[in-house]
Amino acid sequence: MAIEKFEAIYQRAAERKGGEAALEAMLSIPLSKEELATIPNDRWLSAFSMKVFQSGISWKVVRNKWPNFEELFFDFRIEPLLMLSDEHWDIKSEDKRIIRHHAKVMSIKANAQMIYEASIKHGSFGQMVAEWPSEDITGLWLYLKKHGNRLGGNTGPYTLRQMGVDTFILSGDVEAYLRNCKIIEGGKDTKRSLQATSDAFAHWQAESGRSLTEISQIIAFSTGDNRL
């Protein structure tokens, strides 16, 4: 396995995007650990829930209806949601103001419980995320998959990225690049593939001094259809 120099990846991305200045303007900057720790639990639950509903559904449709979700689910405040009976959840899942999908609605309940339990241990969900070792970002992915509901695959990682967490994403373009370079083979979510991916990103991070988020985006911009 030969890991391409990050400078070569960067220059290829810059050439495709109209120069270094244009490329830099397109990159996302992750939040600091201090900033992540201040994000309230309700915003994490709202973000996870939106990504769950966007899976397989038009993102625009979900975004347009999201104010109704916020209203129906108490602005995603954890404690009021956890006090609801199963009957109340069933009623909410049939409300015409939202996208009626019982399994996805019930994921809100399950993920509220996940956030609540993390808060008991760490003070808040944001604090747990802030304290998570940056060199084990895929461990956080696996935590969401194991303790959450419908947060496996790219749903959890994309939500983390949206919330400002420094993480790479195994988008179609990034995965294709890693496979082309023989960094991963077989399933992308296997322990072996995740470790190989983490090692490669750690190598590029040491080389460039950039965040995982920036490196991931630059790789996506350097190849394929630019799926971030």
Side-chain angles (χ1 to χ4, degrees):
M1 176 185 71
I3 298 182
E4 185 179 14
K5 292 286 187 181
F6 183 76
E7 181 61 24
I9 300 172
Y10 180 86
Q11 290 304 324
R12 187 167 61 249
E15 183 177 344
R16 296 185 81 210
K17 291 301 169 186
E20 294 186 8
L23 174 61
E24 292 292 340
M26 300 175 74
L27 301 179
S28 302
I29 306 300
L31 298 180
S32 68
K33 291 184 179 296
E34 292 75 19
E35 290 171 319
L36 288 172
T38 66
I39 299 175
N41 286 342
D42 59 270
R43 292 306 88 201
W44 290 102
L45 182 58
S46 178
F48 285 130
S49 301
M50 179 181 283
K51 275 292 180 286
V52 167
F53 272 89
Q54 286 177 330
S55 179
I57 300 176
S58 164
W59 286 28
K60 182 179 180 180
V61 169
V62 176
R63 284 195 298 267
N64 287 343
K65 284 184 173 289
W66 208 248
N68 296 337
F69 278 85
E70 292 279 352
E71 180 181 354
L72 187 63
F73 294 105
F74 312 133
D75 295 320
F76 291 97
R77 288 178 289 126
I78 305 299
E79 288 76 9
L81 288 174
L82 292 182
M83 294 176 65
L84 292 176
S85 67
D86 289 342
E87 181 181 5
H88 281 121
W89 283 102
D90 290 340
I91 293 171
K92 286 182 179 295
S93 72
E94 293 299 321
D95 195 298
K96 294 181 179 180
R97 292 174 294 168
I98 65 169
I99 297 166
R100 290 176 287 176
H101 190 300
H102 188 268
K104 290 186 177 184
V105 167
M106 294 310 292
S107 78
I108 299 173
K109 177 184 178 182
N111 291 327
Q113 186 67 40
M114 172 190 71
I115 291 172
Y116 176 74
E117 292 175 0
S119 297
I120 291 175
K121 186 174 181 179
H122 298 276
S124 71
F125 190 82
Q127 189 65 46
M128 184 194 77
V129 173
E131 293 171 354
W132 201 278
S134 58
E135 64 273 13
D136 183 36
I137 193 60
T138 59
L140 183 53
W141 297 5
L142 295 174
Y143 177 95
L144 296 177
K145 180 179 180 180
K146 179 180 179 180
H147 297 281
N149 184 272
R150 305 177 80 95
L151 298 181
N154 273 336
T155 303
Y158 268 116
T159 309
L160 294 176
R161 166 75 67 77
Q162 176 185 311
M163 295 298 286
V165 178
D166 186 20
T167 182
F168 54 83
I169 297 288
L170 288 177
S171 67
D173 283 335
V174 174
E175 181 186 352
Y177 173 82
L178 295 173
R179 290 189 183 282
N180 185 58
C181 295
K182 308 298 182 184
I183 292 172
I184 62 172
E185 298 177 285
K188 69 176 182 178
D189 296 322
T190 65
K191 184 176 180 180
R192 181 176 181 179
S193 291
L194 290 177
Q195 186 60 58
T197 301
S198 294
D199 290 345
F201 272 85
H203 176 85
W204 288 316
Q205 193 167 41
E207 222 179 75
S208 66
R210 288 182 176 269
S211 67
L212 298 175
T213 297
E214 292 172 298
I215 295 168
S216 182
Q217 291 177 319
I218 290 168
I219 289 174
F221 285 138
S222 75
T223 185
D225 298 321
N226 302 160
R227 291 171 290 180
L228 301 182

